[in-house]
Amino acid sequence: MENSLKDLKTMARQQLEDIISIMKNKKIIIRLLDFKFDEFFRLAHMENFEEYEYLFGKRGTTLLINFDILEKQLEIIMSVIEKYNIELNLLVPMICRIGDFKYIKNIILRKSIDFHIDRLKIGAMIENICSVNYIDEIAKESDFISI
């Protein structure tokens, strides 16, 4: 499993570098991972169903917060962005609570300092009724939105 994850990181890093080189100086928006926990549970060959039962049916920011997926994904993305010294535009998917968005935004901002990324925009994906209910607050916290 560890080798598979290492291979996946290498592949993701290479794909991002390929996209950046093809796009030249055009704007790139990177959407953070969004998947259903059920799929992750099955793919990761996790066995302790009871321990994670509360996450079944969850996705988006809930999963980014509950696992270290966000940190790992940001390390890959930001290492490539730092290398190419381009603006980073991140899109946070499936927001259900404004607190989740703020929490993720703070992690992104902290990581951007670690990777010396000074050109950063953080957007919110408006995909459900929960995010529509918080649109005023989300608009204040985000640099852009996607509907």
Side-chain angles (χ1 to χ4, degrees):
M1 177 92 162
E2 190 64 36
N3 284 339
S4 296
L5 287 175
K6 191 175 182 178
D7 291 345
L8 187 60
K9 286 180 182 180
T10 302
M11 184 177 71
R13 184 175 282 111
Q14 185 58 55
Q15 287 176 341
L16 185 54
E17 287 191 25
D18 291 347
I19 290 168
I20 289 171
S21 65
I22 289 168
M23 293 300 290
K24 306 282 187 241
N25 293 320
K26 294 181 180 178
K27 184 176 190 171
I28 300 172
I29 298 173
I30 300 171
R31 183 177 187 209
L32 296 174
L33 288 176
D34 176 26
F35 54 88
K36 295 178 187 166
F37 182 75
D38 318 33
E39 297 165 359
F40 176 72
F41 188 86
R42 188 173 34 82
L43 291 172
H45 305 291
M46 298 167 83
E47 296 184 18
N48 192 352
F49 176 82
E50 291 79 21
E51 184 179 350
Y52 299 104
E53 186 175 15
Y54 71 100
L55 288 171
F56 275 81
K58 304 288 186 193
R59 59 185 291 188
T61 56
T62 304
L63 294 183
L64 290 172
I65 288 171
N66 281 285
F67 293 91
D68 60 354
I69 297 164
L70 176 62
E71 300 263 347
K72 289 177 179 168
Q73 187 180 12
L74 289 173
E75 287 172 9
I76 292 168
I77 293 168
M78 290 187 178
S79 67
V80 173
I81 297 299
E82 180 183 36
K83 177 180 174 182
Y84 286 88
N85 192 28
I86 62 172
E87 180 178 79
L88 175 56
N89 301 283
L90 287 175
L91 183 58
V92 180
M94 206 60 158
I95 299 164
C96 291
R97 294 182 296 266
I98 187 65
D100 291 350
F101 181 76
K102 288 179 180 180
Y103 181 81
I104 289 171
K105 179 181 173 183
N106 285 332
I107 291 172
I108 293 169
L109 292 172
R110 190 179 70 241
K111 280 283 186 196
S112 70
I113 292 167
D114 295 344
F115 284 90
H116 311 289
I117 294 174
D118 54 355
R119 294 183 294 154
L120 169 67
K121 295 205 180 342
I122 302 170
M125 187 77 182
I126 308 302
E127 301 179 76
N128 54 50
I129 194 68
C130 296
S131 55
V132 171
N133 288 335
Y134 295 109
I135 192 66
D136 290 344
E137 292 177 69
I138 291 170
K140 290 176 191 170
E141 290 292 326
S142 62
D143 296 310
F144 63 94
I145 61 168
S146 177
I147 300 173

